[in-house]
Amino acid sequence: MKEEVQISSLKDVSGYRLSDERQAKLLERELECVFCWTNADGHPIGITQAYVYADGAFWMCTDEGRARAKAIRRDPRTSVVVFTARKSKTL
């Protein structure tokens, strides 16, 4: 089932939203994400990180002494980016 999306401007990318089914398929199939947070100066940082997605949450591991753990305790606002590296335009 391919969903056709009509985009007339990149100012509004809401049309790129995945259906629940396609999102579930992506999260089940992929093994890594880009995990993003900010440092003390407010600069964004991102790393490739393995994850498990279960019960509506992303689970990742890190050592409590790592800079990212300290940064997340300081400011818990984070982002997770999951994407497929395959050339297919459909899931």
Side-chain angles (χ1 to χ4, degrees):
M1 166 178 71
K2 184 176 178 183
E3 297 175 26
E4 294 295 324
V5 177
Q6 299 296 320
I7 303 294
S8 60
S9 170
L10 292 178
K11 290 180 182 179
D12 177 13
V13 294
S14 61
Y16 288 109
R17 184 173 207 79
L18 292 176
S19 67
D20 290 345
E21 178 183 326
R22 293 175 73 196
Q23 178 180 325
K25 189 174 182 179
L26 175 70
L27 295 175
E28 179 182 301
R29 185 174 68 190
E30 298 305 321
L31 303 173
E32 295 179 329
C33 65
V34 177
F35 179 61
C36 307
W37 68 94
T38 57
N39 66 16
D41 294 330
H43 296 115
I45 299 173
I47 59 162
T48 302
Q49 175 88 38
Y51 72 90
V52 172
Y53 185 78
D55 300 324
F58 288 89
W59 293 86
M60 297 173 236
C61 295
T62 192
D63 183 85
E64 66 180 321
R66 302 281 276 195
R68 75 184 78 128
K70 294 173 187 174
I72 295 164
R73 281 193 293 272
R74 183 188 67 250
D75 183 352
R77 295 176 295 172
T78 61
S79 295
V80 175
V81 180
V82 178
F83 61 95
T84 180
R86 293 165 187 80
K87 292 183 180 184
S88 173
K89 292 185 179 184
T90 61
L91 294 172

